[in-house]
Amino acid sequence: MSATMAAELYSQYFGSPQPPIHVGARRFPIKEFFVEDLSSQLSLTYKSAKIAQDVFKECEKSRCNSAPSASNMEKLHHLATQIATSVGGNGSSVLIFVPGMADIEAITERIEGLNVPNVSYICLPIHSDVPFEEQMAAFEPAKKGEVKVIIATNAAESSLTLPDVDHVVCLG
């Protein structure tokens, strides 16, 4: 049971003289897309569209009951990079959720190896192994001519809000 759902009950139990306070949350419209939607939603190369199709088939086959194979993770890293470069524009931020530090490093290596005219990609990791001060850079706005790509483990999914993220990619 959530404390927010049972605020009245908790208030009575602890004998609080004040009524519970409700703090409203801002909600933003979202659109969800899945790997099978990528080809129709993004301008993917033939190779990337084939990779998206392979990932979808692999997930359908395994019913996502087991961890992806190393080759499938490599395909997911490729797709995450393609998505970030497709949707990330100057001054924007893309957030990519990944399972672990190895994925953060692999995607960072791919993205930092890109050579796109007039666009600079900066990768910012959020992980418990990264010093707190370095992680704080993820909260700074993207600069002009820059695409900020934040790569974080799923542990950060429910524990932080990044103010300028335009797109979120979740690798599971």
Side-chain angles (χ1 to χ4, degrees):
M1 181 180 285
S2 169
T4 55
M5 297 300 288
E8 209 50 58
L9 177 68
Y10 280 95
S11 182
Q12 290 172 359
Y13 178 80
F14 290 109
S16 175
Q18 300 298 320
I21 298 172
H22 172 74
V23 179
R26 292 189 297 168
R27 298 183 192 273
F28 299 94
I30 62 165
K31 291 181 184 175
E32 278 186 310
F33 299 102
F34 299 91
V35 71
E36 62 268 26
D37 302 323
L38 292 179
S39 296
S40 64
Q41 297 298 320
L42 300 175
S43 299
L44 296 179
T45 63
Y46 174 78
K47 177 185 175 185
S48 294
K50 174 89 172 85
I51 288 172
Q53 188 176 42
D54 290 348
V55 167
F56 176 69
K57 285 179 183 175
E58 182 68 28
C59 191
E60 283 288 299
K61 188 172 85 178
S62 71
R63 307 299 259 154
C64 296
N65 288 326
S66 60
S69 65
S71 73
N72 216 37
M73 283 309 297
E74 205 169 295
K75 290 175 184 177
L76 288 169
H77 296 161
H78 173 86
L79 289 175
T81 302
Q82 291 302 304
I83 293 167
T85 58
S86 293
V87 301
N90 285 334
S92 71
S93 297
V94 178
L95 173 59
I96 303 173
F97 286 116
V98 297
M101 190 63 177
D103 304 291
I104 291 173
E105 292 169 350
I107 294 171
T108 297
E109 188 176 313
R110 283 176 174 269
I111 290 174
E112 288 182 346
L114 295 173
N115 187 9
V116 180
N118 302 321
V119 181
S120 171
Y121 291 91
I122 180 166
C123 292
L124 301 166
I126 297 182
H127 188 277
S128 60
D129 287 347
V130 177
F132 178 76
E133 295 77 22
E134 288 181 36
Q135 294 183 60
M136 292 308 292
F139 293 91
E140 297 296 322
K143 297 178 181 120
K144 187 175 181 175
E146 175 181 272
V147 176
K148 183 171 69 170
V149 182
I150 302 132
I151 309 169
T153 55
N154 293 349
E157 198 165 358
S158 62
S159 61
L160 59 93
T161 300
L162 296 161
D164 65 341
V165 170
D166 304 311
H167 295 84
V168 178
V169 178
C170 183
L171 299 186

